[in-house]
Amino acid sequence: ADVPRDRTQLLFVGRLVPSKGVDDLVDAMAILAGEVRCRLVVVGTGPDAARLATRAAPLGDMVRFAGSLDDATLDLEIRRSLALLLPSRREGWGLAVTEAASRGTAYIAYDVPAVREQHELLGGGVLVPAGPAELAEAIAGLVRAPALAADLGGRGRAAAAGLSWAGAAAVVESAIAAAMAS
């Protein structure tokens, strides 16, 4: 079922470790404070959870740490959000981008190889160079242009509909075969 979008809600889903870039998200939200009406929901747990929550505390309700969510609640949060944010400086797959796209949710992510590969397939979001200022600029752009976010989300949903685990397995199998042949 369609879930109404909250044009102010942004979402991060992932492990709370340095490589996932949540520090950059907190800094980006601080840049946006007072300029753009938005709030960030951080879903996940990890060794940096307490430190990140303390760091974000001055931002008040602009940043909320939700911990772990059950599958149904996570699905609802992804569908409800204007955009999913993935500021990872290193990713092996970028699955969160694909999950957001499959639900028609736009994404903003750092331009790193695995995420770039997903973005080339999906086209459902925006890639930016790593850094809080670049992240804040992209967030402000989508918050101020919710129609663009909806358009990106629709493109991502259409592209994600053609993806499957069987297709992913075939790509991996082909890569292994090519590597073994060389």
Side-chain angles (χ1 to χ4, degrees), residues 47-125:
D48 282 358
R51 181 186 65 77
L52 289 165
T54 299
R55 215 169 156 251
L59 296 172
D61 63 359
M62 271 189 83
V63 180
R64 178 173 65 89
F65 287 82
S68 293
L69 300 178
D70 62 71
D71 290 343
T73 305
L74 178 59
D75 179 67
L76 179 65
E77 291 300 324
I78 294 171
R79 290 176 188 275
R80 175 182 296 151
S81 297
L82 177 74
L84 178 125
L85 308 176
L86 185 64
S88 296
R89 294 180 185 270
R90 184 176 74 234
E91 273 297 322
W93 177 279
L95 185 58
V97 164
T98 304
E99 290 180 351
S102 73
R103 291 163 175 88
T105 300
Y107 54 82
I108 299 171
Y110 281 168
D111 188 0
V112 297
V115 176
R116 187 178 320 116
E117 184 177 348
Q118 291 298 306
H119 177 69
E120 288 168 0
L121 289 171
L122 300 167

Side-chain angles (χ1 to χ4, degrees), residues 12-22 41-53 64-70 74:
F12 168 85
V13 179
R15 188 146 165 74
L16 302 182
V17 295
S19 65
K20 292 294 184 178
V22 181
V41 177
V42 176
V43 176
T45 61
D48 282 358
R51 181 186 65 77
L52 289 165
R64 178 173 65 89
F65 287 82
S68 293
L69 300 178
D70 62 71
L74 178 59

Side-chain angles (χ1 to χ4, degrees), residues 21-32 55 87 89 110 128-139:
V22 181
D23 281 298
D24 285 2
L25 282 177
V26 172
D27 291 343
M29 295 303 285
I31 291 168
L32 295 170
R55 215 169 156 251
R89 294 180 185 270
Y110 281 168
V128 299
E134 293 82 354
L135 197 53
E137 184 178 338
I139 290 168

